[in-house]
Amino acid sequence: MLFRSHQPGDLFEVGSTMISFTAEDASGNIVIEEFTITVIDNEDPQIIGLPLDISVPTDLDQCNAVVNWQEPTFTDNCTVVGSQSSIASGSIFEVGTVTVTYTVIDSAGRETIASFDVTVEDQQIPVFENMPTNRVLSADPGSCDVVHEWLEPTVLDNCPNVSVTSSHQSGDTFPVGLNIVTYQAMDANGLSRQAMFTVV
């Protein structure tokens, strides 16, 4: 009489399975033979619907942006046992480029990693407020020039560290004729604006 632990055509899971055959004759003599069937998972899990690289401007009056995308899905011939992303959709991204990485692992320990870039661009140019208006002045008595003072303009920008330069300073002496006072504001991302007024 012959006994089998498994039958030809049986379905075997990933891993090693011992197959045994037991033969017994009429006298009760028994012989057991065994061999192993090993099923190896050679298929990596798949990440489906990974976003393409994303490029967005900063949110209004902010130096960053909230960025959303549709989460990818994960499939495998075996069971997906874990998945994660380095940054979640809906997170706040600062100006610049950040790589978002997704990792998925299956029950056989096979791993797939895929990524895309999120770029946030500052497109808001600094703005001058309280810029002095054009001035028409008379020369100081007994002189061919005039000293002129004004309140410095202020600068608004969505990002910090705006540098301001000017061609003249309040309290400078201006000669008779047309004088152009120029201000330039440049933010940390290289966006600049120029404004001016005249002193005559």
Side-chain angles (χ1 to χ4, degrees):
M1 186 175 294
L2 180 64
F3 301 94
R4 299 185 180 95
S5 61
H6 297 77
Q7 300 296 322
D10 280 356
L11 186 66
F12 293 86
E13 300 296 330
V14 170
S16 296
T17 303
M18 182 70 70
I19 309 298
S20 64
F21 288 83
T22 303
E24 182 178 359
D25 63 16
S27 300
N29 297 310
I30 296 175
V31 175
I32 299 175
E33 295 291 341
E34 297 176 330
F35 67 93
T36 300
I37 290 179
T38 301
V39 178
I40 300 173
D41 177 17
N42 288 322
E43 293 187 39
D44 291 330
Q46 297 183 30
I47 300 174
I48 299 175
L50 186 77
L52 300 176
D53 290 345
I54 298 172
S55 183
V56 297
T58 54
D59 292 339
L60 183 63
D61 295 331
Q62 300 295 318
C63 199
N64 50 47
V66 175
V67 183
N68 294 280
W69 61 85
Q70 185 169 344
E71 297 282 357
T73 57
F74 312 100
T75 63
D76 191 55
N77 60 313
C78 296
T79 304
V80 172
V81 296
S83 61
Q84 65 178 8
S85 64
S86 59
I87 305 174
S89 174
S91 296
I92 296 175
F93 289 78
E94 302 298 327
V95 171
T97 299
V98 175
T99 299
V100 179
T101 301
Y102 277 86
T103 304
V104 57
I105 187 169
D106 67 13
S107 57
R110 301 188 69 87
E111 184 179 77
T112 296
I113 299 174
S115 62
F116 64 95
D117 288 338
V118 174
T119 300
V120 176
E121 299 177 347
D122 178 18
Q123 298 179 357
Q124 292 185 233
I125 300 174
V127 176
F128 282 102
E129 279 198 338
N130 305 316
M131 193 69 190
T133 57
N134 296 336
R135 298 284 200 266
V136 177
L137 305 173
S138 299
D140 293 334
S143 175
C144 200
D145 48 37
V146 61
V147 174
H148 180 52
E149 295 182 350
W150 61 87
L151 293 177
E152 295 289 342
T154 56
V155 180
L156 299 179
D157 192 49
N158 59 316
C159 290
N161 302 322
V162 178
S163 63
V164 180
T165 58
S166 61
S167 60
H168 299 77
Q169 303 297 319
S170 176
D172 279 356
T173 300
F174 292 86
V176 170
L178 176 64
N179 300 274
I180 300 176
V181 179
T182 303
Y183 278 83
Q184 179 168 306
M186 178 175 291
D187 66 18
N189 299 306
L191 298 175
S192 66
R193 184 182 296 275
Q194 191 176 77
M196 61 186 65
F197 67 96
T198 60
V199 176
V200 179

